[in-house]
C-alpha cells in the first residue's frame, strides 16, 4: 500500500470517527498519531460510564501487519488491566493489536462512502468487543 492510499484510509478513519454514533459510549477526542518507529494513524479516546480508554486505528511498520488497517491500544496507553488482556497481539513496538482489516485492491476499489461505512462499522464492533472484554 502506498502513501497516497494510506492518506486516503487515514481520512476515512477520521470521517468514520466523526460519524460515530452510540448511546452507550462517546468518542471524546481524536488526534493524529505518528511515532518515530513508523506507526501512524489516529489516536482517540472512548468514554463509557466514568471510564475513558485510549485507542488507535491506523498502520504499523511491523511486517506481519503489512497492508492492514489496525485497531488496538498504543503501548503508551496500556494500563495494567489492558496489559493483562493476553489474547491481544503485540506488534514490534509493543502496541496491543485487537483486530485488523486487510487493505487490498478489493477494499481500495470500493466507493468512498462504502469504505467509510465499512470502517465505521468495523470500529464500532471493535470498540464494543474491547469494552466487553475490559
Amino acid at each position: 500500500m502506498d502513501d497516497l492510499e494510506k492518506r486516503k484510509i487515514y481520512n476515512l478513519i477520521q470521517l468514520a470517527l466523526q460519524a460515530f454514533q452510540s448511546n452507550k459510549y462517546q468518542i471524546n477526542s481524536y488526534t493524529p498519531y505518528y511515532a518515530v518507529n513508523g506507526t501512524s494513524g489516529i489516536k482517540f479516546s472512548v468514554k463509557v460510564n466514568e471510564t475513558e480508554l485510549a485507542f488507535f486505528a491506523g498502520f504499523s511498520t511491523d511486517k506481519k501487519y503489512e497492508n492492514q488497517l489496525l485497531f488496538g491500544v498504543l503501548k503508551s496507553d496500556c494500563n495494567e488491566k489492558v496489559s493483562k488482556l493476553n489474547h491481544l497481539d503485540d506488534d514490534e513496538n509493543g502496541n496491543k493489536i485487537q483486530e485488523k482489516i486487510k487493505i487490498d485492491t478489493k477494499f481500495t476499489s470500493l466507493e468512498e462512502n462504502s469504505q467509510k461505512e465499512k470502517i465505521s462499522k468495523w470500529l464500532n464492533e471493535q470498540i464494543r468487543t474491547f469494552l466487553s472484554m475490559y
Side-chain angles (χ1 to χ4, degrees):
M1 181 173 15
D2 65 19
D3 286 344
L4 184 62
E5 287 174 319
K6 282 185 178 178
R7 270 197 301 278
K8 183 181 175 194
I9 301 295
Y10 175 88
N11 289 335
L12 287 168
I13 296 168
Q14 258 188 315
L15 291 172
L17 289 170
Q18 288 170 353
F20 190 86
Q21 298 288 323
S22 172
N23 295 332
K24 282 188 172 180
Y25 35 79
Q26 69 183 71
I27 294 178
N28 285 337
S29 62
Y30 53 93
T31 55
Y33 177 81
Y34 300 99
V36 177
N37 57 28
T39 300
S40 63
I42 296 179
K43 178 181 174 178
F44 58 99
S45 65
V46 176
K47 187 171 184 177
V48 57
N49 302 325
E50 296 304 310
T51 305
E52 192 164 352
L53 293 166
F55 295 103
F56 162 75
F59 308 97
S60 173
T61 54
D62 196 327
K63 285 289 182 204
K64 68 181 174 183
Y65 298 118
E66 203 167 15
N67 297 325
Q68 295 182 45
L69 176 60
L70 308 174
F71 172 86
V73 185
L74 293 167
K75 182 180 181 181
S76 58
D77 292 297
C78 289
N79 63 23
E80 192 176 305
K81 204 169 175 185
V82 172
S83 298
K84 287 182 179 175
L85 295 173
N86 57 8
H87 61 281
L88 299 180
D89 192 19
D90 285 5
D91 74 1
E92 65 187 11
N93 305 306
N95 300 319
K96 299 280 187 194
I97 307 301
Q98 176 177 314
E99 195 55 76
K100 48 203 174 286
I101 291 182
K102 182 107 175 117
I103 303 294
D104 53 16
T105 51
K106 183 180 175 190
F107 183 88
T108 55
S109 66
L110 288 174
E111 188 243 329
E112 191 172 285
N113 241 11
S114 298
Q115 289 174 332
K116 183 180 91 174
E117 215 171 278
K118 187 173 181 168
I119 291 172
S120 183
K121 183 179 175 192
W122 179 71
L123 285 172
N124 195 328
E125 288 169 4
Q126 298 318 309
I127 292 167
R128 273 200 330 258
T129 301
F130 187 90
L131 291 173
S132 68
M133 293 182 311
Y134 185 82

